[in-house]
Amino acid sequence: MSRFEIDAKDAMGRVGSLELGGRTVTTPALMPVVNPHLHKPDLSEADIVITNSYIIYTGDSHDEAVKDGVRSVVGEGFDGVVVTDSGSYQMSVYGDDEVDVSNREILGFQRRIGTDIATPLDVPTPPDAARETAEGDVETTAERVREAVELYEGYGDAPALNAPVQGSTYDDLRERSAREAYTAGADVYPVGAVVPLMSDYRFGDLVDTVVAAKRGLGADAPVHLFGAGHPMVFALAVAVGCDLFDSAAYALYAEEGRYMTPEGTVQVDDLDELPCACSVCRGASGDKLGFEALAQHNLNVSFAEMRRVREAVRAGNLLELVETRCRAHPDLLDGLRRLGAHAETVERYDPASKSSFFYLGNPRRPEVVRHHQRLDRLELGDDTLVTAGRARGRDPLLLRPPFGPFPLELAETYPLNAETPEDPDDDAVDSALRGVERLVSLNPDATVTLEHPGWTHPRLDSLRDKGVRTEVYG
């Protein structure tokens, strides 16, 4: 029913092709949320959209959708992929008593209206819920995914299937839920109930949640991050392996007069000039943007950021974009640091060779981790010089923060040909000195001398305690 091919990779992110029923979506992709009873945006740039089958099932558009298919109520002329949610969000907000539909009923309805990717009635568990509650919701969700797989096996016209991953903020439950969803044999794997994390700017917890889900999924699994509709989070989320994003934020923010940028959101009334060059903003002023125009701008800037992210993956500089975006807000910086805490996991996905490396202040890059891991490949003589300066006719090991020691012959190879600041920060120096420590521990019989430009880092004392001679070069 579906096919997912990966064309380019960087960090845990990838550019791929998701094929569904003769239609192809280039991922990572933005899915605008379309409410058939409210404003319908310009979808000319969208290859894929998402709408709510429960709203259609219970609303005025029910008969039209059954007769003419779900595309008839999404938007005039739209011929891309349509994903339908099941009503789980309404159930989480209003309670089970207010959502009068069963899992089998809503799955059957999604098939009848010709959706391309259907969603079972999973049970979203909010962050920080009691563990017992989260465990029960994971099991109920798994049962409903299995029921969906069994139900659709009997139909030749069955849609592809979402298998939501739940588990609240318990990493082990997220991993278990993902593994059970993947084993069930679905097509796309949405990480659910994360909107409260993003609303509260808990981007570090968001990174942990996605990485935990990825541990339970196969490398070929397309991952949908439910409710991630702000462009400032796209690069970070793609870097941890998300492929699909749904956005209702473009319209919700417009209702509040909020103007999206890749770095955040501002009140449009506070802008004397509009900084965006999209078709809505060129020649316009903030006080003249009504709801529909502002919603379209928000959608335009979201599409533009997704294009930027895809190009960054293809060029191999996604992590540079992540660092740029994450340094625009303190809470996003927490997400960047949490990404660094998962550097060993990211390294397993990250390509070993790229065109360039720009050091922007994050030493927990996969390239640096990989370099430290490979220090056991160096064979030291009895007396080894490591210098952060120039070789000057000698044959030392070079030291360039944030990397550890490396042979002179590798100085012009990736990633050691990195663009780095002339004056490295403390984190970069610490990373380089940790590399020296690892080299010393791997070669306990060697005598090592370290030349440096006058660093005052406390790790130098630790190296001296291990028998390393340190000298300041002039």
Side-chain angles (χ1 to χ4, degrees):
M1 288 188 292
S2 69
R3 182 179 180 182
F4 184 49
E5 291 188 352
I6 297 171
D7 303 315
K9 297 190 295 182
D10 194 16
M12 294 174 73
R14 56 266 185 107
V15 170
S17 300
L18 179 62
E19 298 180 11
L20 293 151
R23 297 177 174 87
T24 300
V25 177
T26 300
T27 65
L30 177 67
M31 303 184 289
V33 174
V34 179
N35 186 323
H37 305 148
L38 299 176
H39 163 71
K40 294 179 183 178
D42 176 7
L43 299 175
S44 58
E45 192 171 344
D47 293 325
I48 182 170
V49 301
I50 185 169
T51 190
N52 192 300
S53 64
Y54 180 74
I55 291 176
I56 299 172
Y57 183 70
T58 58
D60 296 338
S61 55
H62 175 281
D63 292 346
E64 180 184 354
V66 171
K67 177 184 175 185
D68 299 323
V70 68
R71 285 179 184 77
S72 67
V73 300
V74 164
E76 184 177 352
F78 181 74
D79 192 39
V81 172
V82 178
V83 183
T84 47
D85 198 2
S86 60
S88 297
Y89 174 77
Q90 284 73 19
M91 185 173 67
S92 68
V93 173
Y94 304 114
D96 294 6
D97 295 340
E98 298 298 320
V99 179
D100 187 21
V101 67
S102 71
N103 188 43
R104 294 182 69 88
E105 287 171 335
I106 201 64
L107 286 166
F109 179 69
Q110 290 174 82
R111 182 187 64 80
R112 288 198 302 277
I113 63 177
T115 189
D116 295 298
I117 306 178
T119 308
L121 194 65
D122 60 308
V123 186
T125 316
D128 309 313
R131 184 178 178 88
E132 183 178 1
T133 299
E135 287 178 324
D137 291 348
V138 164
E139 183 53 40
T140 301
T141 295
E143 290 172 358
R144 292 177 178 179
V145 169
R146 290 192 291 267
E147 182 179 41
V149 171
E150 293 171 2
L151 177 65
Y152 282 168
E153 281 178 346
Y155 296 98
D157 61 348
L161 184 66
N162 274 327
V165 176
Q166 296 296 340
S168 186
T169 37
Y170 300 97
D171 291 351
D172 61 320
L173 295 184
R174 286 284 184 177
E175 183 176 351
R176 188 180 96 191
S177 179
R179 185 170 292 108
E180 291 177 351
Y182 187 72
T183 302
D187 300 275
V188 179
Y189 302 87
V191 180
V194 293
V195 171
L197 293 178
M198 290 180 282
S199 298
D200 293 338
Y201 283 61
R202 293 170 59 180
F203 296 113
D205 291 335
L206 178 68
V207 168
D208 288 344
T209 294
V210 175
V211 171
K214 291 283 290 186
R215 285 198 298 266
L217 296 171
D220 60 340
V223 177
H224 168 193
L225 189 61
F226 251 132
H230 198 296
M232 70 181 185
V233 78
F234 292 165
L236 178 63
V238 169
V240 291
C242 297
D243 306 291
L244 296 171
F245 302 79
D246 65 281
S247 174
Y250 73 93
L252 296 175
Y253 281 29
E255 289 177 348
E256 300 172 356
R258 299 168 70 185
Y259 182 95
M260 282 183 172
T261 75
E263 297 82 20
T265 310
V266 294
Q267 288 294 325
V268 69
D269 291 342
D270 293 338
L271 295 174
D272 293 325
E273 297 183 75
L274 300 180
C276 176
C278 79
S279 57
V280 171
C281 297
R282 287 196 301 269
S285 59
D287 58 358
K288 295 295 193 295
L289 290 190
F291 164 74
E292 290 195 4
L294 185 52
Q296 192 62 50
H297 155 77
N298 289 343
L299 192 54
N300 290 345
V301 78
S302 299
F303 276 128
E305 181 68 1
M306 196 60 74
R307 294 195 301 271
R308 189 176 291 113
V309 170
R310 288 195 294 264
E311 276 303 292
V313 174
R314 294 184 182 108
N317 55 28
L318 174 62
L319 289 174
E320 283 86 351
L321 179 61
V322 171
E323 291 194 44
T324 300
R325 292 289 178 258
C326 287
R327 293 182 188 281
H329 194 285
D331 293 309
L332 275 171
L333 191 56
D334 288 340
L336 176 63
R337 288 169 176 158
R338 200 68 61 85
L339 177 65
H342 295 288
E344 284 77 12
T345 298
V346 177
E347 188 275 328
R348 291 197 292 271
Y349 291 81
D350 187 64
S353 182
K354 305 176 193 177
S355 60
S356 62
F357 181 105
F358 288 83
Y359 178 71
L360 300 178
N362 176 23
R364 295 293 290 166
R365 289 277 297 266
E367 295 92 341
V368 179
V369 170
R370 185 180 301 119
H371 179 75
H372 283 198
Q373 291 172 346
R374 293 178 176 180
L375 287 172
D376 59 359
R377 301 181 182 183
L378 290 180
E379 294 184 4
L380 301 190
D382 294 336
D383 198 353
T384 299
L385 173 65
V386 178
T387 181
R390 299 182 183 278
R392 295 181 295 186
R394 301 169 296 178
D395 188 24
L397 296 178
L398 300 184
L399 186 66
R400 181 176 300 161
F403 300 99
F406 59 91
L408 179 63
E409 294 81 2
L410 299 181
E412 299 304 321
T413 64
Y414 181 87
L416 301 169
N417 60 347
E419 295 287 343
T420 59
E422 187 76 21
D423 185 16
D425 57 42
D426 282 349
D427 288 342
V429 172
D430 181 74
S431 177
L433 295 179
R434 280 192 290 107
V436 177
E437 282 187 334
R438 174 162 166 74
L439 185 69
V440 170
S441 67
L442 290 167
N443 298 270
D445 297 329
T447 300
V448 176
T449 300
L450 170 64
E451 287 185 347
H452 65 89
W455 294 331
T456 57
H457 198 282
R459 201 172 289 275
L460 288 169
D461 294 331
S462 174
L463 284 168
R464 283 188 282 265
D465 291 341
K466 291 178 170 61
V468 176
R469 293 196 298 263
T470 63
E471 301 176 359
V472 176
Y473 60 79

